[in-house]
Amino acid sequence: MKLKEAAKKEERLTGGHRLCSGCGAGTVVRLVMRASDNPAVVGCSTGCLEVSTTIYPYTAWEDSFIHNAFENVAATISGVESAYRSLRNQGKMDEDFDFIAIGGDGGSYDIGFQSLSGAMERGHDMVYLCYDNGAYMNTGIQRSSATPKGANTTTSPAGEVIPGKQQYRKELTDIMAAHNIPYVAQASPFKPQDLMKKAKKAFETEGPAFLNVLAPCPRGWRSKAEEGIELTKIAADTCFWPLFEVENGEWKLNYNPKAKKPITDWLEPQGRFKHLFKPENEGLIEEIQEHVDERWETILHRCGEE
Amino acid sequence: MVKPGDGYKDIPKGGLILEAGNAKNYKTGGWRTKKPILDKETCINCHRCWAFCPDSSVLSEDGDVKAEIDYDHCKGCGICAHECPVNAIEMEKE
Ligand SMILES: Cc1ncc(C[n+]2csc(CCOP(=O)(O)OP(=O)(O)O)c2C)c(N)n1
Ligand code: SF4
Ligand code: SF4
Ligand code: SF4
Ligand SMILES: [Mg+2]
């Protein structure tokens, strides 16, 4: 859908929320919600998005919204979907609804992982959206299993002892694909049409669908607010954040950069990686590059691109 | 909407917020240090600024970016100006 056509639909997330200036979560959610053609029931795991969009007595959501804890948004929304299915079967309701659970990377990769895995395995007709900003941002930038290797966070502080986070990130999108659910996609806001198309597929899927979307956080990435969307493009051009989808088990690549850029293009504009450019950490950048290259080869292979 | 000074009898049960999207009534424009100024003459109406704004503050009507920014909510992040392909948006100091 053309952007100007998409713009004719109603806004589902209003201004007046309290996300930081330039926060990518706002952009991601606006674009995803645009793809829904029904009234929705939304839940968010505790995190920046949830806290900032629902500061009492205000809500930035035009849809029904349910507060819940950090670890259980998938369980909550799966419960609502079950209740709805029951009411429908009893003939007490006939309106169509969309059900969407949204979690940050902390809420999805880590603490909410079992409720996410369970909801997908049980086959609920719902969408799970993870907006991945690569750390527990709302509590002041703690590392998660989505934090990239080498990133400086308050619980992986770069200094004399360690050069930032020591582990590579976990590939949650692959893990969700391994659940053999009908639709899984990894997306990025710099391609708004691709993101909306994937969200539309996710909402229209009968059964569970999972979306993992990169969401810039100028606070935690120590990057310029205006450069957030550009950074998500660099993430795709360096193959740090590939765009792909897995539809009924079939992998498909959605973006193949014309010229693959060096990983330093992604690391350099972000203050959280600043220490990596010190002479003593040179080897680490090479290691990170090798890891990205290997990952990219795997994705290309799975998508039948080589 | 619940106002400061309301008693417990005025507050909906369960702390529910009954008015969807009422955050519109909360103004975040005061956060801005720089203000986006959109030049309608230069604009090619591609809607990139509209798509990327985290604060739903680039206004579009009937498929037309209205050369209007919702300054009550725009936080001045500058994404719209940075992503505009024809430099139709200028960030001006408040
Ligand atoms: C059980 C529990 N532990 C800790 C917290 C505190 N807490 C609130 S939000 C948050 C981090 C959220 O991180 P993420 O899911 O990545 O979302 P983000 O804030 O980055 O958007 C934490 C640790 C909590 N609310 N509940
Ligand atoms: S800390 Fe980061 S994720 Fe949280 S609101 Fe600010 S920019 Fe967004
Ligand atoms: S400066 Fe930021 S908040 Fe304001 S209209 Fe542009 S993108 Fe939206
Ligand atoms: S990005 Fe620039 S050209 Fe495109 S609609 Fe906005 S102001 Fe107009
Ligand atoms: Mg996070």
Side-chain angles (χ1 to χ4, degrees), chain A residues 40 76 79 146 163 213 249:
Chain A
T76 303
V213 188

Side-chain angles (χ1 to χ4, degrees), chain A:
Chain A
M1 198 197 305
K2 281 204 161 149
L3 292 180
K4 64 177 112 174
E5 290 310 312
K8 289 180 186 168
K9 287 173 79 178
E10 293 285 303
E11 193 66 57
R12 307 280 280 266
L13 185 78
T14 70
H17 58 66
R18 259 68 77 76
L19 291 164
C20 300
S21 175
C23 176
T27 307
V28 168
V29 166
R30 282 187 60 223
L31 290 168
V32 167
M33 291 310 294
R34 262 194 193 253
S36 154
D37 289 321
N38 297 307
V41 180
V42 186
C44 284
S45 66
T46 314
C48 279
L49 181 72
E50 181 256 5
V51 167
S52 308
T53 56
T54 59
I55 296 179
Y56 195 78
Y58 296 100
T59 172
W61 297 87
E62 296 284 10
D63 294 278
S64 303
F65 182 93
I66 307 185
H67 263 292
N68 61 164
F70 191 13
E71 58 277 24
N72 63 347
V73 66
T76 303
I77 294 299
S78 71
V80 179
E81 188 270 336
S82 299
Y84 165 78
R85 220 167 346 111
S86 167
L87 288 171
R88 244 188 127 123
N89 288 342
Q90 295 171 55
K92 291 180 180 166
M93 224 174 168
D94 56 7
E95 215 183 324
D96 286 329
F97 272 93
D98 286 332
F99 299 92
I100 178 165
I102 310 179
D105 49 289
S108 310
Y109 286 65
D110 294 345
I111 190 168
F113 180 67
Q114 57 94 358
S115 79
L116 162 61
S117 178
M120 298 290 107
E121 183 272 331
R122 290 191 301 275
H124 293 278
D125 189 8
M126 61 182 274
V127 177
Y128 190 98
L129 165 67
C130 171
Y131 66 99
D132 183 347
N133 52 29
Y136 296 70
M137 295 306 180
N138 190 60
T139 37
I141 324 174
Q142 290 82 34
R143 56 87 81 194
S144 76
S145 59
T147 304
K149 182 167 181 162
N152 183 19
T153 73
T154 52
T155 48
S156 61
E160 278 166 29
V161 183
I162 52 162
K165 193 192 169 194
Q166 291 174 284
Q167 300 83 5
Y168 287 109
R169 29 169 288 113
K170 158 165 126 189
E171 300 296 353
L172 183 63
T173 317
D174 297 20
I175 298 170
M176 297 326 293
H179 282 61
N180 296 322
I181 54 177
Y183 190 70
V184 170
Q186 187 160 295
S188 192
F190 85 94
K191 285 253 172 230
Q193 276 139 301
D194 179 70
L195 173 55
M196 285 190 287
K197 197 164 137 194
K198 285 170 175 168
K200 195 168 168 59
K201 278 191 191 176
F203 282 119
E204 285 174 359
T205 296
E206 265 179 54
F210 174 82
L211 301 171
N212 200 3
V213 188
L214 187 63
C217 165
R219 284 290 300 128
W221 293 10
R222 305 287 186 226
S223 56
K224 290 187 184 145
E226 69 270 26
E227 288 178 4
I229 299 296
E230 189 188 351
L231 277 172
T232 66
K233 178 166 192 313
I234 296 172
D237 284 336
T238 55
C239 302
F240 170 80
W241 189 267
L243 309 191
F244 59 92
E245 61 193 339
V246 188
E247 217 169 336
N248 298 313
E250 205 160 304
W251 289 64
K252 189 177 163 210
L253 191 70
N254 310 115
Y255 181 77
N256 200 342
K258 280 188 206 90
K260 186 169 173 237
K261 298 212 169 119
I263 196 63
T264 42
D265 284 16
W266 160 249
L267 303 173
E268 218 174 346
Q270 303 181 56
R272 61 176 170 159
F273 298 120
K274 193 171 67 184
H275 55 284
L276 297 180
F277 292 88
K278 289 185 180 163
E280 65 267 29
N281 289 328
E282 207 176 309
L284 198 50
I285 293 190
E286 270 167 44
E287 251 181 65
I288 293 171
Q289 180 69 64
E290 272 170 36
H291 186 81
V292 167
D293 293 345
E294 270 171 38
R295 165 89 182 137
W296 180 239
E297 287 305 316
T298 307
I299 296 280
L300 287 178
H301 179 71
R302 284 187 188 151
C303 296
E305 292 277 336
E306 6 130 88

